[in-house]
Amino acid sequence: MTPEERIITYIPEPVTETLSAPSAEVQEEPPPPRITFEPPSFYLNYVVPPDALLIGEHHFVRGDITVIGGVPGCGKSRLLTSLAIAGKLGPGHEWMGLSVNAHFKTAIIQNENGLVRVRNELRAIQVQGHDLDDWLHITPPPPFGIGFTDPVFREELQVWLQQIQPGILAIDPWNRCVDDDKARDYRAVIEAIHSVIPAEIPKPAIVIVHHLRKQSLGDPRRRGRDLLNELSGSYIIGSACRAAFVLEPVTAQGSDDRLLFTCAKNNDGPMGEPTVWHRRDGLFARCTDFDWDEWENGGPNKRRAIDLEDLAAVFEDGDKTMSRKEAALALQSHCPASARSSVYEALRTDGRFSRHLSEVSGFLIFRP
């Protein structure tokens, strides 16, 4: 008897059958239908899951997109961190004036801030008594960028999401996710974000941080729903989200820490009234003495071009001479909404006010 024959003879028949490869093929579940129709009763009987509404009246909802727009450096990233505090505190608390309806974790995919910036903001928050280790997870800037269409990035992200199971998945900023402002690129990334969420976990609310388009002097001030048109790039980002907020400085002065927070869109609930906040170390404090009448009528932030009357006021109708630096500081204070470059452009002796400005021995002289 050969060695092979001895082995076959030794193994009992049931075991031999067990070692043999199964002949029946695994049946895959059929894909869901591409389209269905349902009667009104189907929708009337729908019950919203208790933890789906995270914040506000459908402002942050699991499975939906919420956009937070703002100019660079106004505190958008800080708002994301404050969302984690809201998720830890849970019901009975507020986030930027909106009710918190559930406990949830926050995961932030960011390619905006380095380790030093993130550390400093978290230290300022920790001093205030907020320990967020179990509630907040932040990526260091990914070495190859935020690549939702990259298969390796998507695979690694899915593993992390299965471990964290966040209630809010934030992306900061949007312009680091897309290569171009074309609608096709926007749609592709939005679809990739939705598809990367593991099917085994509850869907998180997706929060996208986005920049506003660059404004020019003389642009009218936008309010309410009109702010949605201020989001830079394709209109797709504004149409894809269910809710959108805009955070903007009250004035252009660096010493003014006030920020206007406005809901510009809420498809499934009320938008609510805009609110004003002070930017503090790590967080925000509500501004209780804001002059809304002045704001509505233009106030110090009214966008307009610097005119001859502004120069006349700064130079006291020609009675005062100043160095260029002194004149720039005075004009900036007189026109706080004007950019620094616009101020220096107005003070050029060969510019549009050349008939009224001259320079002698380093001092600017104004002639009415």
Side-chain angles (χ1 to χ4, degrees):
M1 181 179 292
T2 65
E4 291 79 5
E5 290 174 335
R6 286 199 297 270
I7 292 175
I8 295 175
T9 303
Y10 177 77
I11 298 177
E13 185 174 348
V15 178
T16 306
E17 292 177 357
T18 303
L19 294 179
S20 302
S23 58
E25 295 183 358
V26 178
Q27 298 293 327
E28 295 184 358
E29 294 184 5
R34 299 294 180 92
I35 186 172
T36 62
F37 288 85
E38 304 293 349
S41 58
F42 172 84
Y43 301 98
L44 292 171
N45 293 326
Y46 174 73
V47 178
V48 179
D51 65 340
L53 308 180
L54 301 180
I55 293 178
E57 299 183 61
H58 295 87
H59 290 93
F60 293 82
V61 180
R62 286 183 178 271
D64 290 345
I65 295 177
T66 297
V67 170
I68 297 177
V71 297
C74 68
K76 301 184 298 298
S77 299
R78 186 173 302 188
L79 272 182
L80 299 183
T81 307
S82 68
L83 281 171
I85 297 175
K88 176 185 178 181
L89 297 176
H93 295 82
E94 290 189 347
W95 177 83
M96 302 300 285
L98 300 173
S99 62
V100 180
N101 305 319
H103 289 284
F104 56 86
K105 297 179 181 180
T106 299
I108 302 174
I109 303 172
Q110 66 92 27
N111 198 9
E112 182 84 340
N113 302 311
L115 301 184
V116 173
R117 167 74 179 275
V118 175
R119 180 201 63 184
N120 292 344
E121 291 213 350
L122 290 177
R123 279 181 175 177
I125 291 173
Q126 190 178 46
V127 168
Q128 301 177 49
H130 299 292
D131 184 4
L132 299 174
D133 260 10
D134 295 329
W135 299 93
L136 174 63
H137 298 79
I138 308 174
T139 67
F144 300 102
I146 303 177
F148 283 105
T149 57
D150 175 13
V152 177
F153 180 90
R154 290 167 54 83
E155 182 179 350
E156 294 182 5
L157 177 57
Q158 283 187 324
V159 173
W160 278 107
L161 294 179
Q162 286 177 332
Q163 294 178 13
I164 300 171
Q165 296 196 20
I168 284 182
L169 175 62
I171 301 160
D172 181 18
W174 174 253
N175 63 354
R176 298 294 184 91
C177 304
V178 292
D179 296 327
D180 205 333
D181 281 339
K182 294 180 180 178
R184 180 184 302 175
D185 297 320
Y186 276 46
R187 287 195 184 96
V189 175
I190 290 173
E191 290 173 2
I193 293 172
H194 281 297
S195 64
V196 80
I197 308 299
E200 300 82 8
I201 68 171
K203 291 182 178 180
I206 299 169
V207 178
I208 295 176
V209 172
H210 195 32
H211 293 304
L212 300 182
R213 70 177 182 85
K214 187 176 181 180
Q215 291 187 328
S216 303
L217 284 175
D219 284 355
R221 178 186 294 157
R222 306 285 185 177
R223 295 179 176 87
R225 290 185 175 87
D226 289 340
L227 285 169
L228 198 63
N229 299 322
E230 296 300 300
L231 297 175
S232 66
S234 171
Y235 72 94
I236 292 295
I237 191 68
S239 63
C241 64
R242 302 298 295 177
F245 294 91
V246 171
L247 186 69
E248 52 185 336
V250 171
T251 70
Q253 294 178 350
S255 58
D256 190 347
D257 67 354
R258 295 174 302 169
L259 296 164
L260 185 66
F261 187 63
T262 306
C263 179
K265 180 182 181 181
N266 187 9
N267 280 4
D268 301 316
M271 290 168 52
E273 296 295 326
T275 53
V276 179
W277 302 79
H278 292 284
R279 180 174 176 173
R280 302 301 193 210
D281 288 338
L283 295 173
F284 301 86
R286 193 154 195 165
C287 178
T288 58
D289 59 351
F290 187 70
D291 191 338
W292 286 102
D293 289 336
E294 182 185 20
W295 172 261
E296 291 295 335
N297 293 325
N301 197 38
K302 185 176 181 180
R303 289 189 173 272
R304 59 177 179 80
I306 297 173
D307 57 26
L308 190 60
E309 292 182 357
D310 296 320
L311 294 183
V314 167
F315 286 95
E316 299 179 3
D317 292 324
D319 293 336
K320 186 175 183 179
T321 60
M322 291 178 282
S323 68
R324 187 174 298 275
K325 182 178 180 180
E326 292 172 336
L329 291 173
L331 188 56
Q332 182 75 76
S333 179
H334 184 75
C335 305
S338 299
R340 184 181 179 186
S341 58
S342 300
V343 168
Y344 276 95
E345 181 68 25
L347 293 174
R348 289 179 54 178
T349 56
D350 60 347
R352 56 195 179 99
F353 300 118
S354 59
R355 294 175 54 189
H356 303 273
L357 286 173
S358 60
E359 186 171 2
V360 178
S361 301
F363 287 88
L364 290 176
I365 299 173
F366 176 76
R367 298 182 302 275

